[in-house]
């Protein structure tokens, strides 16, 4: 490699320079050049953000390794935190290639790693530790007294795929763990966050170092990838099913067969990723495509990949992508993040993308080789219009949402992190973990560490005191005569259970096995009976036996028609900007150039339906003694507005883009909305009393109604945005 004299390459340690030269890189990438000075300085936290495949991992670790070689020390010097075991395994492979040349050990640590490497690290701590938040939590609980020895020489904390942690329980757990690591070593440790999708950099900086954004330096590359080839293909599904008739789950609908046929013809012979938003649909399409391969008498090149498959089956698909053979992996978000699966020719997305940020992540998997275009095909089905089709579904919302997300992607906009959530459930976990680690903690110290100076700064002191009382009443904690908070009997049982280390709820699952291998897991909530034929792991299996006590389902290969399991899961969060962009698309006459002929026809039909319903002028559509309200807002406003309507005694339910209100006429709603405008933004805590199902996080069962209301409001309500929306509806804006 020939670098100009001004290149930051020469600031790296000579041995790191030699390793780079051995790889015959033509030069450092822009993001790698920019990241070297602030990371070597070590006096600030750093966020590294760039497009996918721009070398963010190397941007962080080349200067980190330089520092480790230049200043060797006993003890773990770097903690690398990642969201997925598979991602940590992949990072271990990549970073070990550098570490081995520099005599810097790199150790992966998670639930699938054997005890040997872990014991060696505990005896001789050194180098880089790659770990999940859950495994780091376990270290705090089980080896709290050893942490000072392990982390005494800690120089950096690196967070990979940082966007995947922001605004969720695991993210708040991660923030707390980083804070607790610094308390163990008695000093701030530079934090480095890596991400390709961050919509608001100030909120990202707040996540990395809560309350101290001035400590965070942004390192951002605006280098763009090569050419983008994009197509959205439209399909008509079967007629809307009669609600009184049972759905046939064993016969694929015609639109699914048509989509699979196009995938089969377009992707065979190459290496591609096919993203679908649900595990159930992954199994359905894997089955259809396997059958097509058999029908055409060609090798099956289509493999499933999702979180319910065994680690061996997931690894098999990942390794197939790395080999120089054609393969198409049908996956959920499990392959969205930075696991290195080599270069793929294209990305396919079945169904509307869930968010702009995830679409950018997925698209970044394609076009990684210099000169290759990034290619993305999006497949969207809309219902055939008949007497059962609702006005909302006649707007083809899946199609228009897909167009809105693609347009926002092309504009360079991404969803910002969600701010203001309390995460009381995670605070409970962290408090219990800290008590277990230290053998006890004073209440005032806990308030300072977790809330006043820690990641739970949205928590008011009065609310924190009420939480401690609540935990005491539930026997999760108790207070000694000298004021120390200790674990209660129930608290000890919680902390000693293997599920404690996760901040999120986990479901009970069956293990699906053949006599030879474990295939994966299914939720126990799914009805499973002997002789049933299941679609799983891309094949058909007949259930031989169900052992409910051991939670094991034994299966054998089958040929009959089968059904894809229902895995559960929740609908995704939709941002206001996506819904507002959808409205602009309905109102516009512009036709996106990336639509195929069918999609263009469907968009014209959706716009005609939009105008025929009067939605180009109004927000409310009357329909058979009920109205449909279209606020054109995202999840928070929709949820708040629905609760306002229910609080007034109206029968309101969410129906996709709309809120359905039964038993009223359109002109009856407007005076009610005007009264809401006159009253100003609603009191969210009083409104939360309307909600009967407020438990959504792991330890919500512990909370009093008052604490539940505070937690729910911070997570699911937007009173100000809702008031502004109702004002807009009343003004006809």
């Amino acid at each position: 490699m020939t670098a100009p004299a001004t290149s930051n390459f020469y600031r790296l340690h000579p041995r790191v320079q030699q390793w780079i030269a051995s790889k015959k890189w033509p030069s450092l990438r822009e993001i790698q050049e920019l990241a070297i000075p602030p990371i070597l300085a070590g006096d600030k936290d750093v966020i590294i953000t760039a497009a996918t495949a721009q070398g963010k991992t190397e941007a962080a670790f080349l200067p980190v390794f330089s520092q480790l070689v230049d200043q060797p020390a006993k003890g773990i010097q770097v903690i690398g935190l990642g969201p997925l075991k598979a991602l940590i395994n992949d990072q271990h492979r990549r970073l070990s290639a550098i570490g081995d040349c520099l005599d810097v050990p790199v150790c992966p640590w998670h639930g699938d790693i054997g005890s040997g490497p872990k014991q060696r690290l505990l005896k001789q701590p050194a180098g880089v530790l790659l770990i999940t938040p859950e495994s780091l939590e376990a270290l705090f609980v089980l080896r709290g007294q050893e942490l000072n020895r392990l982390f005494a020489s800690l120089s950096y904390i690196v967070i990979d795929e940082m966007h995947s942690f922001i605004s969720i329980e695991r993210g708040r757990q991660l923030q707390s763990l980083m804070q607790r690591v610094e308390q163990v070593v008695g000093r701030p440790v530079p934090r480095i966050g890596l991400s390709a999708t961050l919509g608001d950099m100030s909120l990202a900086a707040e996540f990395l170092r809560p309350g101290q954004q001035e400590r965070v330096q942004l390192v951002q590359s605006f280098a763009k990838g090569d050419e983008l080839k994009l197509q959205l293909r439209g399909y008509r599904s079967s007629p809307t099913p009669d609600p009184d008739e049972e759905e046939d789950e064993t016969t694929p609908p015609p639109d699914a067969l048509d989509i699979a046929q196009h995938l089969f013809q377009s992707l065979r012979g190459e290496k591609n990723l096919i993203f679908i938003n649900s595990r159930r649909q992954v199994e359905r399409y894997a089955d259809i495509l396997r059958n097509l391969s058999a029908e055409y008498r060609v090798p099956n090149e289509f493999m499933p990949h999702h979180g319910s498959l065994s680690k061996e089956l997931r690894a098999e698909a990942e390794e197939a992508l790395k080999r120089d053979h054609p393969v198409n992996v049908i996956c959920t978000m499990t392959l969205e993040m930075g696991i290195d699966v080599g270069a793929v020719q294209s990305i396919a997305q079945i169904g509307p993308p869930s968010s702009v940020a995830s679409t950018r992540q997925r698209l970044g998997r394609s076009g990684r080789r210099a000169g290759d275009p990034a290619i993305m095909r999006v497949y969207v089905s809309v219902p055939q219009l008949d007497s059962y089709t609702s006005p909302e579904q006649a707007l083809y919302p899946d199609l228009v949402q897909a167009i809105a997300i693609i347009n926002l992607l092309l504009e360079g906009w991404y969803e910002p992190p969600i701010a203001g959530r309390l995460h009381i459930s995670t605070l409970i976990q962290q408090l219990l973990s800290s008590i277990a680690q230290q053998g006890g903690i004073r209440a005032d110290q806990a308030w300072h560490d977790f809330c006043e100076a820690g990641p739970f700064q949205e928590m008011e002191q009065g609310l924190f005191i009420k939480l401690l009382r609540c935990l005491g009443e539930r026997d999760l904690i108790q207070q000694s005569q000298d004021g120390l908070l200790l674990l209660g009997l129930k608290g000890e049982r919680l902390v000693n259970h293997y599920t404690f280390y996760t901040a999120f709820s986990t479901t009970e699952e069956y293990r699906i096995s053949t006599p030879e291998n474990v295939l994966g897991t299914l939720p126990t909530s799914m009805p499973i009976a002997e002789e049933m034929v299941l679609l799983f792991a891309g094949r058909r299996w007949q259930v031989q036996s169900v052992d409910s006590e051991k939670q094991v389902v034994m299966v054998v290969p089958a040929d009959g028609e089968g059904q894809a399991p229902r895995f559960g899961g929740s609908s995704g969060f939709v941002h206001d900007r996506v819904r507002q962009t959808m409205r602009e698309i309905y109102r516009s006459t512009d036709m996106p150039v990336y639509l195929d002929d069918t999609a263009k026809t469907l968009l014209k039909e959706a716009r005609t339906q939009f105008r025929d319903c009067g939605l180009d002028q109004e927000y409310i559509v009357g329909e058979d003694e009920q109205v449909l309200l279209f606020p054109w807002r995202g999840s928070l406003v929709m949820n708040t507005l629905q609760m306002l309507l229910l609080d007034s005694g109206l029968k309101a339910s969410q129906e996709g883009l709309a809120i359905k209100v039964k038993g009223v006429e359109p002109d009856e709603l407007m005076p009610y909305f005007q009264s809401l405008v006159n009253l100003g933004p609603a009191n969210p805590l009083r409104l939360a009393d309307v909600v009967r199902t407020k438990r959504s996080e792991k330890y919500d069962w512990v909370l009093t109604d008052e604490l539940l209301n505070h937690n729910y409001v911070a997570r699911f309500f937007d009173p100000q945005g809702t008031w502004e929306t109702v004002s807009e509806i009343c003004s006809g804006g």
Side-chain angles (χ1 to χ4, degrees):
M1 179 179 124
T2 303
T6 56
S7 172
N8 289 320
F9 169 79
Y10 296 107
R11 300 184 62 176
L12 298 172
H13 191 279
R15 292 178 65 188
V16 176
Q17 294 180 27
Q18 291 170 9
W19 181 85
I20 295 172
S22 72
K23 296 300 172 183
K24 296 182 169 53
W25 294 357
S27 64
L28 293 179
R29 299 275 183 94
E30 179 188 24
I31 194 66
Q32 295 162 353
E33 282 275 2
L34 294 172
I36 291 171
I39 292 177
L40 287 180
D43 56 356
K44 283 194 172 184
D45 302 316
V46 178
I47 292 177
I48 298 175
T49 178
T52 302
Q54 292 298 311
K56 292 184 294 295
T57 298
E58 289 75 15
F61 276 97
L62 291 177
V64 164
F65 274 120
S66 287
Q67 198 79 324
L68 268 55
V69 175
D70 198 41
Q71 300 178 11
K74 291 183 178 180
I76 294 166
Q77 291 181 271
V78 180
I79 297 176
L81 288 151
L84 299 173
K85 296 175 184 178
L87 182 58
I88 285 175
N89 293 341
D90 184 69
Q91 293 287 57
H92 174 242
R93 178 185 59 81
R94 294 170 64 185
L95 295 178
S96 291
I98 309 175
D100 290 347
C101 293
L102 305 175
D103 301 317
V104 176
V106 180
C107 178
W109 187 304
H110 55 69
D112 293 341
I113 300 296
S115 61
K118 295 177 180 178
Q119 289 301 320
R120 286 193 292 273
L121 182 72
L122 292 173
K123 289 178 181 178
Q124 293 184 311
V128 180
L129 170 64
L130 302 177
I131 194 166
T132 60
E134 291 74 25
S135 290
L136 184 56
E137 189 76 68
L139 278 178
F140 270 99
V141 173
L142 301 175
R143 300 185 179 275
Q145 302 306 311
E146 300 178 51
L147 295 183
N148 190 42
R149 175 181 67 87
L150 294 174
F151 297 144
S153 301
L154 192 65
S155 299
Y156 297 99
I157 298 174
V158 183
I159 306 99
D160 199 13
E161 303 289 351
M162 190 173 77
H163 67 278
S164 69
F165 289 109
I166 298 178
S167 304
I168 64 173
E169 293 96 325
R170 289 185 86 201
R172 193 55 60 93
Q173 178 189 24
L174 174 64
Q175 289 177 302
S176 180
L177 290 170
M178 291 191 292
Q179 174 93 351
R180 291 166 65 189
V181 165
E182 292 184 342
Q183 289 169 355
V184 166
V185 301
R187 55 184 167 79
V189 178
R191 304 175 185 179
I192 304 171
L194 313 180
S195 182
T197 50
L198 292 170
D200 186 319
M201 299 314 302
S202 64
L203 292 176
E206 175 64 23
F207 174 85
L208 188 61
R209 180 70 67 174
Q212 301 181 56
Q213 290 187 36
E214 69 280 357
R215 268 192 58 107
V216 181
Q217 179 171 340
L218 173 65
V219 176
Q220 187 168 14
S221 169
F222 294 97
K224 296 183 178 179
D226 294 308
E227 177 188 3
L228 168 62
K229 292 185 177 180
L230 176 66
Q231 185 181 51
L232 191 158
R233 300 181 60 83
Y235 295 83
R236 293 187 192 274
S237 65
S238 303
T240 307
D242 186 332
D244 296 326
E245 293 183 4
E246 189 172 335
E247 181 184 0
D248 181 4
E249 297 189 356
T250 61
T251 303
D255 57 309
L257 294 174
D258 290 342
I259 291 171
Q261 186 70 47
H262 189 268
L263 291 169
F264 185 83
Q265 293 174 348
S266 302
L267 305 186
R268 277 200 82 259
E270 295 182 340
K271 194 180 296 184
N272 306 279
L273 290 175
I274 303 168
F275 285 99
I276 309 182
N277 294 333
S278 78
R279 288 169 284 182
R280 189 178 199 211
Q281 288 293 84
V282 167
E283 292 294 353
R284 279 181 167 172
Y285 275 92
D287 183 69
I288 296 171
L289 289 161
R290 183 179 62 83
N291 287 339
L292 281 174
S293 300
E295 180 182 334
Y296 284 92
R297 298 183 179 182
V298 295
N300 178 29
E301 298 175 1
F302 297 89
M303 304 176 69
H305 188 289
H306 57 75
S308 291
L309 295 178
S310 67
K311 64 178 182 180
E312 291 81 10
L313 290 176
R314 294 197 304 270
E316 184 181 337
E318 292 161 17
E319 288 302 315
L321 283 166
K322 295 174 186 176
R323 292 194 292 268
D324 192 22
H325 297 289
V327 65
N328 297 276
V329 175
I330 312 162
C331 56
T332 57
M333 65 175 293
T334 49
L335 288 180
E336 183 178 299
M337 288 184 280
I339 300 170
D340 185 7
V341 293
V344 299
Q345 274 70 36
S346 72
I347 301 300
Q349 167 73 44
I350 300 177
S354 57
S355 70
V356 183
S358 69
T359 305
R360 183 191 183 193
Q361 283 287 111
R362 295 174 181 187
L363 181 60
R365 289 302 201 173
S366 175
R368 291 194 167 197
R369 288 177 178 160
D372 284 355
I375 302 172
M376 187 172 194
R377 299 176 177 90
V378 181
Y379 300 81
V380 179
S381 295
V382 304
Q384 288 193 28
L385 303 184
D386 56 29
S387 58
Y388 295 108
T389 308
S390 69
E392 189 267 343
Q393 282 299 306
L395 293 173
Y396 303 158
D398 283 357
L399 172 72
V400 180
Q401 178 173 314
I403 296 171
I405 285 176
I406 291 171
N407 286 354
L408 289 168
L409 174 75
L410 296 175
E411 290 176 18
W413 179 88
Y414 315 106
E415 290 87 354
I418 304 169
R421 291 180 172 177
L422 295 181
H423 294 292
I424 297 179
S425 173
T426 308
L427 175 55
I428 293 171
Q429 183 216 32
Q430 290 302 293
L431 180 61
L432 297 180
S433 174
S434 186
I435 292 172
Q437 171 203 348
Q438 301 179 46
I441 187 172
R442 295 187 62 85
D444 57 348
Q445 188 66 44
W447 158 252
H448 175 270
D449 290 349
F450 289 113
C451 303
E452 190 174 30
F456 298 90
Q457 294 179 14
E458 297 88 352
M459 190 81 168
E460 297 176 357
Q461 189 169 19
L463 210 59
F464 182 75
I465 293 171
K466 291 179 180 179
L467 175 62
L468 293 183
R469 289 174 182 161
C470 175
L471 297 179
E473 291 169 0
R474 302 289 195 273
D475 197 25
L476 268 67
I477 62 172
Q478 55 185 332
Q479 194 165 27
S480 66
Q481 291 183 346
D482 59 358
L484 273 184
L485 298 178
L486 306 172
L487 293 177
L489 290 177
K490 289 184 179 178
E492 285 187 355
R493 285 199 291 268
L494 281 179
V495 171
N496 291 331
H497 197 269
Y498 71 93
T499 60
F500 175 74
Y501 309 123
T502 62
F504 53 89
S505 299
T506 54
T507 58
E508 290 288 316
E509 293 179 317
Y510 289 118
R511 188 171 72 251
I512 310 300
S513 295
T514 68
E516 296 81 22
N517 300 303
V518 175
L519 300 177
T521 59
L522 287 177
T524 55
S525 58
M526 178 186 171
I528 299 178
E530 293 178 1
E531 306 301 322
M532 176 186 288
V533 177
L534 297 173
L535 308 181
F536 195 79
R539 296 185 61 186
R540 299 183 181 190
W541 307 92
Q542 186 175 61
V543 176
Q544 274 197 321
S545 64
V546 180
D547 188 329
S548 298
E549 185 174 335
K550 294 182 179 179
Q551 296 185 330
V552 175
V553 176
M554 296 300 298
V555 297
V556 294
D559 295 321
E561 291 186 341
Q563 66 181 75
R566 296 184 182 275
F567 292 93
S570 57
S571 57
F573 172 85
V574 179
H575 193 276
D576 283 344
R577 180 82 181 270
V578 173
R579 290 277 167 79
Q580 290 166 337
T581 302
M582 291 176 68
R583 190 186 189 204
E584 293 168 6
I585 291 167
Y586 283 117
R587 285 176 147 181
S588 174
T589 58
D590 294 341
M591 189 62 66
V593 296
Y594 52 79
L595 302 184
D596 77 342
D597 289 342
T598 302
K600 289 177 181 177
T601 299
L602 296 175
L603 179 56
K604 290 177 183 176
E605 292 177 10
R607 285 170 167 169
T608 299
Q609 178 70 14
F610 179 82
R611 291 191 299 272
D612 289 348
C613 289
L615 287 171
D616 54 337
Q617 303 292 329
E618 305 289 343
Y619 291 84
I620 298 174
V621 176
E623 181 204 18
D624 299 333
E625 298 184 354
Q626 64 183 16
V627 299
L628 291 175
L629 169 65
F630 290 84
W632 303 111
R633 291 297 186 275
S635 303
L636 295 182
V637 169
M638 290 285 282
N639 193 46
T640 311
L641 187 50
Q642 180 193 2
M643 292 305 120
L644 279 170
L645 293 166
L646 289 171
D647 187 43
S648 300
L650 298 172
K651 297 178 180 179
S653 60
Q654 291 192 44
E655 303 284 336
L657 294 177
I659 295 177
K660 180 189 291 185
V661 188
K662 293 184 177 181
V664 296
E665 298 293 333
D667 56 2
E668 296 178 77
L669 271 187
M670 293 310 294
Y672 166 71
F673 283 151
Q674 189 59 59
S675 68
L676 291 180
V677 173
N678 296 338
L679 289 171
N683 179 340
L685 290 173
R686 194 195 65 76
L687 193 60
D689 284 330
V690 179
V691 184
R692 293 291 173 261
T693 54
K694 290 189 280 281
R695 294 181 182 179
S696 60
E697 297 180 353
K698 186 172 183 177
Y699 295 110
D700 281 357
W701 60 270
V702 173
L703 303 180
T704 62
D705 284 343
E706 180 184 4
L707 289 167
L708 270 176
N709 282 350
H710 278 277
N711 204 46
Y712 188 89
V713 163
R715 183 169 185 176
F716 294 110
F717 279 171
D718 180 3
Q720 180 65 33
T722 303
W723 180 78
E724 292 170 0
T725 299
V726 174
S727 299
E728 185 178 302
I729 292 172
C730 289
S731 66

